[in-house]
Amino acid sequence: EQCAQFSEVVGSVSARLNQRSEEGDVDPISPMQLPDFQWKRQAATPGSREHDPGSQQVTKRHRKLLKTSPVQRPHTNSSMLSSSSSYSAAENSRRLADVQESRRRIVREVCGKYRSNISRTITPHHVSRIYVEDRHKLLYCEVPKAGCSNWKRVLMVLAGVANTTQEINHVAVHYDNHLKRLDSFDRQGITKRLETYTKVLFVREPMERLVSAFRDKFESPNSYYHPVFGKPIISKYRVNASQAALKTGSGVTFREFIHYLLDVHRPVGMDIHWEATNQLCSPCHLHYDFIGKVETLEEDANFLLRKIGAPENLTYPSFKDGNPKAARTSTQITQHYFSQLNASERQRAYDFYYMDYLMFNYSKPYKDLY
């Protein structure tokens, strides 16, 4: 009944927006209201991060409503995809600036059309994943499996914690990095930084990011994810599971993992490594100044570093942090894992990440998806 009521509200809002848009009387997204904070945290499963209570899951009807007033996508052409070496420094800078404007515009349009009725109140939930670098006035939202380990190395060098990214090991990055999160400041400190600092977000093709997380957490020895996530996943989704598997939580299959992800009654909570990017970083609340992509990671990152006045010798590191001997998750590797699923499971996984696909302008990964 609540879903039906929500669908009616969405339809009504969409119709009003379309009518006002035709009359030239609507902006893509209404201004943020700062800083009306609500400092109530919700209990979550250990190791998990629950969804924003105000967020909505996407249904087939919601997609149809969106498609009645489609977001205008930039035309892909060879000049956008060719190597930066064919440009002069000035031309390359303009090209990358244009790419950024296009990415920001698409996020604004999607937020305006789908989430125009959400509250603009900024809560600790919205800023809890954001790291602060005060020297260069940078706010970086951490998206696991989208280059975040190396970005934290860069932030540590910018902050003067280390001299080079190469000297910072895995433990220092994740457990002793001395970086502050935005929600550790008081309301005035948070508001000031949101209004004056450069807000940065890096994203990745959702299915590829998901497979990367699965390979990292379940196919390699892991003293946390195997017992905390693996054991309940095997217990609920594996028929006639062995006592060894139930005891250790090792050997979770990709299909079992997908069943857990799509289950509204998960036996263990959500985790940041496979939570949707729009849930982690709240781009409809926080208007990011820079949106980078893993697909063009080094080019985007180094362009940003030059824009914020980083030291000339500081560039984004290219080395692989976790499981350095394993091949990086690629499009081909991702397709191999998703070939283990049936069409319905692939569709539901796409639905789960639909807002990320729409907001960050990624193409449908399979032709049979609607």
Side-chain angles (χ1 to χ4, degrees):
E1 183 179 17
Q2 289 177 331
C3 289
Q5 292 173 353
F6 173 69
S7 294
E8 292 175 2
V9 170
V10 171
S12 175
V13 170
S14 179
R16 290 200 301 272
L17 282 172
N18 289 337
Q19 180 180 357
R20 291 175 61 195
S21 179
E22 291 173 0
E23 297 170 357
D25 188 35
V26 63
D27 292 326
I29 185 167
S30 58
M32 262 193 316
Q33 295 176 2
L34 291 170
D36 188 9
F37 291 85
Q38 301 293 330
W39 296 101
K40 294 182 180 179
R41 294 186 180 275
Q42 302 221 348
T45 305
S48 72
R49 186 175 188 279
E50 300 301 331
H51 285 296
D52 184 346
S55 66
Q56 298 93 18
Q57 292 298 312
V58 179
T59 67
K60 185 175 180 180
R61 180 175 179 182
H62 296 160
R63 286 199 303 274
K64 288 183 176 179
L65 287 171
L66 283 168
K67 290 174 182 177
T68 60
S69 181
V71 173
Q72 295 299 312
R73 305 293 185 185
H75 292 291
T76 301
N77 55 56
S78 58
S79 64
M80 296 290 285
L81 300 177
S82 62
S83 171
S84 59
S85 62
S86 61
Y87 295 89
S88 69
E91 289 172 336
N92 195 48
S93 181
R94 287 194 295 270
R95 176 181 67 87
L96 293 175
D98 289 343
V99 169
Q100 284 301 312
E101 174 54 36
S102 175
R103 291 174 183 173
R104 290 192 299 267
R105 176 176 56 78
I106 290 172
V107 170
R108 288 196 305 269
E109 290 178 355
V110 172
C111 290
K113 290 175 181 176
Y114 180 71
R115 291 185 169 174
S116 59
N117 61 336
I118 66 172
S119 169
R120 295 288 179 244
T121 300
I122 305 298
T123 71
H125 168 88
H126 297 122
V127 300
S128 63
R129 305 305 313 173
I130 295 180
Y131 284 98
V132 179
E133 202 288 287
D134 284 316
R135 281 187 177 184
H136 297 81
K137 297 186 176 182
L138 195 67
L139 300 179
Y140 165 72
C141 186
E142 177 189 28
V143 178
K145 313 311 296 181
C148 69
S149 296
N150 281 338
W151 256 113
K152 285 191 276 189
R153 287 185 171 92
V154 170
L155 293 178
M156 291 170 69
V157 173
L158 288 173
V161 176
N163 294 318
T164 66
T165 56
Q166 287 75 15
E167 69 186 57
I168 308 172
N169 62 31
H170 179 83
V171 173
V173 167
H174 294 285
Y175 304 106
D176 190 28
N177 56 37
H178 305 290
L179 296 174
K180 292 183 178 180
R181 292 184 188 268
L182 188 53
D183 63 350
S184 68
F185 294 87
D186 61 20
R187 180 166 60 181
Q188 183 179 0
I190 293 174
T191 303
K192 177 183 176 181
R193 287 168 175 81
L194 284 174
E195 292 176 341
T196 60
Y197 283 22
T198 301
K199 297 181 288 294
V200 176
L201 169 64
F202 271 75
V203 301
R204 185 177 186 177
E205 202 283 334
M207 300 303 191
E208 190 171 300
R209 175 175 168 249
L210 178 66
V211 170
S212 178
F214 172 78
R215 295 176 69 207
D216 183 31
K217 303 308 179 186
F218 294 102
E219 291 189 343
S220 303
N222 193 297
S223 61
Y224 176 77
Y225 282 90
H226 289 194
V228 174
F229 285 86
K231 288 167 67 174
I233 288 174
I234 291 173
S235 177
K236 182 167 185 179
Y237 306 108
R238 184 176 299 181
V239 178
N240 299 323
S242 69
Q243 288 301 311
L246 292 171
K247 184 177 180 179
T248 65
S250 299
V252 171
T253 68
F254 185 64
R255 194 169 194 179
E256 289 167 345
F257 173 65
I258 292 297
H259 286 178
Y260 143 78
L261 180 74
L262 302 177
D263 191 346
V264 295
H265 302 293
R266 297 187 191 95
V268 61
M270 180 55 63
D271 183 85
I272 61 172
H273 289 83
W274 42 85
E275 187 168 12
T277 297
N278 74 86
Q279 291 289 334
L280 288 171
C281 294
S282 306
C284 290
H285 290 80
L286 312 175
H287 299 176
Y288 287 91
D289 304 292
F290 192 96
I291 302 172
K293 290 190 172 185
V294 167
E295 293 75 19
T296 51
L297 180 56
E298 291 187 33
E299 182 181 53
D300 288 348
N302 292 327
F303 175 63
L304 172 63
L305 290 173
R306 304 290 77 81
K307 296 290 285 185
I308 65 171
E312 287 296 327
N313 63 344
L314 177 60
T315 58
Y316 184 84
S318 60
F319 54 83
K320 193 172 185 289
D321 187 60
N323 301 316
K325 295 182 180 179
R328 291 183 185 272
T329 301
S330 62
T331 301
Q332 292 73 23
I333 290 176
T334 300
Q335 290 176 344
H336 168 72
Y337 279 83
F338 272 85
S339 68
Q340 302 169 30
L341 309 180
N342 60 39
S344 175
E345 291 163 340
R346 287 196 298 271
Q347 179 65 55
R348 292 177 61 207
Y350 176 68
D351 291 346
F352 187 88
Y353 292 107
Y354 181 71
M355 286 304 299
D356 280 3
Y357 274 98
L358 193 67
M359 194 172 289
F360 304 119
N361 199 24
Y362 283 108
S363 301
K364 287 192 299 185
Y366 299 99
K367 293 181 180 179
D368 60 348
L369 299 174
Y370 56 81

